[in-house]
């Protein structure tokens, strides 16, 4: 039986090590891609829920207008805040702290304006008793709950992704492949307070 020379053995060891290293690199890179996609999908779900809220607002404003004609300033504030909130979009591939803060500020202004709009029911008993208004309130409350859930899921996806990006040895692959840490959704005080919905 013929024995292999030391040079051939060294070459085989190097080839096996290179194949194992390449396999680890591509496996880790694929995990990072998968988690990056999870963050993007979670962010799309956040935006979808905010859009759902924005879509409810015109009907809510029109319903309230029918009963509270003298509240034009409140209606204008809600419409302007809605327009601003729907114009601020954040690309999931560019979730910078600045862009996320701008998005959160616009959504916070809308939440505040909605709170003032919903508070009008206290001054207009007929509005409070209106079935359409009550239905829109219930839909808005459900949407606010969905927004909170979507934000939580987004933050969980970002946390998993960021751990993979920052932990050794996957941080080596992340650095080589251009994967960076992403920003979590940290709502400010105004955005954390959902518009008050009362069924009294």
């Amino acid at each position: 039986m013929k024995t292999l020379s030391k040079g051939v053995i060294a070459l085989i060891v190097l080839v096996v090590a290179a194949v194992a290293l390449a396999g680890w690199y591509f496996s880790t890179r694929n995990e990072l891609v998968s988690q990056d996609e999870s963050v993007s999908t979670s962010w799309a779900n956040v935006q979808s829920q905010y859009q759902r809220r924005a879509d409810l607002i015109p009907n809510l404003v029109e319903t309230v207008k029918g009963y509270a004609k003298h509240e034009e300033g409140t209606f204008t504030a809600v419409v302007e805040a809605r327009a601003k909130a729907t114009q601020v979009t954040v690309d999931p591939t560019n979730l910078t702290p600045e862009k996320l803060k701008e998005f959160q500020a616009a959504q916070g202004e809308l939440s505040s304006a909605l709170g003032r709009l919903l508070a009008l029911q206290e001054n207009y008993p007929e509005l409070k008793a209106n079935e359409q208004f009550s239905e829109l309130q219930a839909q808005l409350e459900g949407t606010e709950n969905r927004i909170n859930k979507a934000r939580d899921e987004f933050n969980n996806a970002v946390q998993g992704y960021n751990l993979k990006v920052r932990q050794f040895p996957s941080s080596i692959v992340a650095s080589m492949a251009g994967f960076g840490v992403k920003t979590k959704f940290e709502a400010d005080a105004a955005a954390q307070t959902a518009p008050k919905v009362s069924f009294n």
Side-chain angles (χ1 to χ4, degrees):
M1 181 182 235
K2 195 174 181 184
T3 59
L4 298 174
S5 70
K6 289 182 182 179
V8 172
I9 292 173
L11 181 62
I12 291 171
V13 168
L14 283 175
V15 168
V16 169
V19 168
L21 189 59
W24 169 79
Y25 173 86
F26 288 112
S27 172
T28 303
R29 189 178 190 290
N30 287 341
E31 286 178 44
L32 287 164
V33 168
S34 176
Q35 290 191 355
D36 187 49
E37 279 301 310
S38 179
V39 169
S40 294
T41 299
S42 296
W43 180 250
N45 291 339
V46 167
Q47 289 182 309
S48 174
Q49 294 309 320
Y50 275 117
Q51 185 60 51
R52 177 184 163 86
R53 176 174 74 169
D55 292 345
L56 288 171
I57 291 171
N59 289 336
L60 185 63
V61 168
E62 287 306 312
T63 301
V64 174
K65 268 186 183 180
Y67 292 90
K69 293 178 176 44
H70 305 298
E71 306 289 349
E72 195 60 41
T74 303
F75 303 140
T76 302
V78 170
V79 170
E80 287 174 357
R82 178 189 182 272
K84 183 176 179 183
T86 55
Q87 289 173 355
V88 177
T89 57
V90 180
D91 179 355
T93 61
N94 190 21
L95 282 169
T96 64
E98 297 77 25
K99 295 240 184 223
L100 206 49
K101 189 172 185 173
E102 181 185 358
F103 179 83
Q104 291 171 216
Q107 294 300 333
E109 285 177 33
L110 181 55
S111 290
S112 180
L114 270 175
R116 289 190 299 276
L117 179 70
L118 291 172
L120 290 177
Q121 70 174 319
E122 299 304 321
N123 300 331
Y124 300 93
E126 311 85 30
L127 174 62
K128 212 177 195 181
N130 180 284
E131 192 174 315
Q132 183 178 2
F133 182 72
S134 294
E135 174 62 28
L136 288 168
Q137 276 187 311
Q139 287 183 36
L140 186 60
E141 183 179 71
T143 299
E144 291 297 331
N145 290 335
R146 286 185 182 107
I147 287 170
N148 287 332
K149 184 174 187 283
R151 287 190 308 219
D152 288 345
E153 289 172 358
F154 169 74
N155 281 346
N156 288 337
V158 169
Q159 180 179 0
Y161 169 85
N162 284 348
L163 283 172
K164 190 74 174 171
V165 166
R166 294 175 63 206
Q167 287 179 334
F168 183 81
S170 58
S171 61
I172 297 167
V173 176
S175 177
M176 291 170 63
F179 290 94
V181 172
K182 295 195 183 286
T183 304
K184 287 184 181 179
F185 192 105
E186 295 179 11
D188 60 20
Q192 286 178 343
T193 307
K196 195 150 192 150
V197 177
S198 171
F199 296 99
N200 297 329

